Amino acid sequence: MRGLNGVVCRGCWVALLAAALSLAACDVKNISELEEGVSTEADVRERFGAPEAVWDGEDGAQIYEYNRQPAGHVNYMITIGPDGRMAALRQVLTERNFAQVKPGMAMEEVRRMLGKPMKVTTYDLKRETHYDWRYLDGVNQSDSKVFTVVFDTDLRVISTMSVPDPDLDRNR
């Protein structure tokens, strides 16, 4: 999908954007068809498919991760209670969740809170690993940002930051 110069071609970018918008539209429809306390695990799987990951929740609940990275701006965590019914559906890439990421947290805790990142980059000389998630800080595509968590060699949080999405500057 990259041209000879290594840059994503304009047509490919349009195709990626169309796919992301289509997925977002499907998510809105699928979410509207689910009801907390009523919808079952089978209902969730019918609308969203197999989860990216399944996490153990409290009191025997399971948390299904539905990742929309790298092209999307959301990650969903859907809690299935011990009774097999959907207890909660949350979009987790939010400023509120980002504020809960603190120095010293383990990578696994962050991963469980935010879902799979869109990109993982290791900087050997700095002895750091960066996890990036794309999210919207508003309602428009131009509000796209990237939240980064910086981990040390023990995969513990050193710092976090949010920056405007660099893909916006590249017309991607």
Side-chain angles (χ1 to χ4, degrees):
M1 296 198 50
R2 294 187 182 272
L4 293 176
N5 61 1
V7 176
V8 174
C9 66
R10 186 178 271 343
C12 296
W13 171 244
V14 171
L16 283 172
L17 181 59
L21 291 174
S22 174
L23 185 58
C26 289
D27 282 346
V28 170
K29 180 181 182 301
N30 289 335
I31 290 169
S32 73
E33 294 174 351
L34 296 173
E35 185 177 346
E36 289 181 5
V38 175
S39 298
T40 64
E41 174 187 5
D43 296 331
V44 170
R45 286 180 177 267
E46 180 181 318
R47 283 158 185 82
F48 282 87
E52 172 83 25
V54 177
W55 304 93
D56 289 332
E58 295 180 17
D59 300 323
Q62 289 190 317
I63 301 168
Y64 289 8
E65 176 186 329
Y66 290 95
N67 185 298
R68 299 301 187 244
Q69 302 285 302
H73 291 89
V74 296
N75 279 346
Y76 298 106
M77 296 291 182
I78 300 177
T79 304
I80 305 297
D83 62 354
R85 302 217 177 267
M86 183 180 83
L89 188 156
R90 301 179 336 254
Q91 194 292 103
V92 296
L93 299 182
T94 65
E95 293 285 345
R96 182 176 182 195
N97 283 343
F98 299 156
Q100 293 179 36
V101 178
K102 303 291 184 198
M105 283 180 74
M107 181 275 301
E108 185 78 5
E109 288 179 82
V110 176
R111 172 74 172 69
R112 182 182 171 121
M113 183 188 315
L114 301 178
K116 183 178 175 182
M118 74 164 178
K119 182 170 78 169
V120 175
T121 308
T122 302
Y123 297 95
D124 291 329
L125 294 177
K126 290 177 135 185
R127 302 176 55 111
E128 294 177 350
T129 300
H130 293 201
Y131 278 30
D132 296 333
W133 289 265
R134 179 173 283 123
Y135 72 102
L136 287 178
D137 189 28
V139 296
N140 300 312
Q141 285 295 117
S142 61
D143 298 321
S144 183
K145 289 190 173 181
V146 174
F147 177 70
T148 300
V149 178
V150 180
F151 296 96
D152 63 16
T153 55
D154 293 327
L155 295 179
R156 296 278 177 183
V157 175
I158 299 171
S159 63
T160 66
M161 68 186 108
S162 283
V163 298
D165 188 341
D167 284 351
L168 293 175
D169 295 335
R170 296 184 194 122
N171 289 325
R172 289 188 190 182

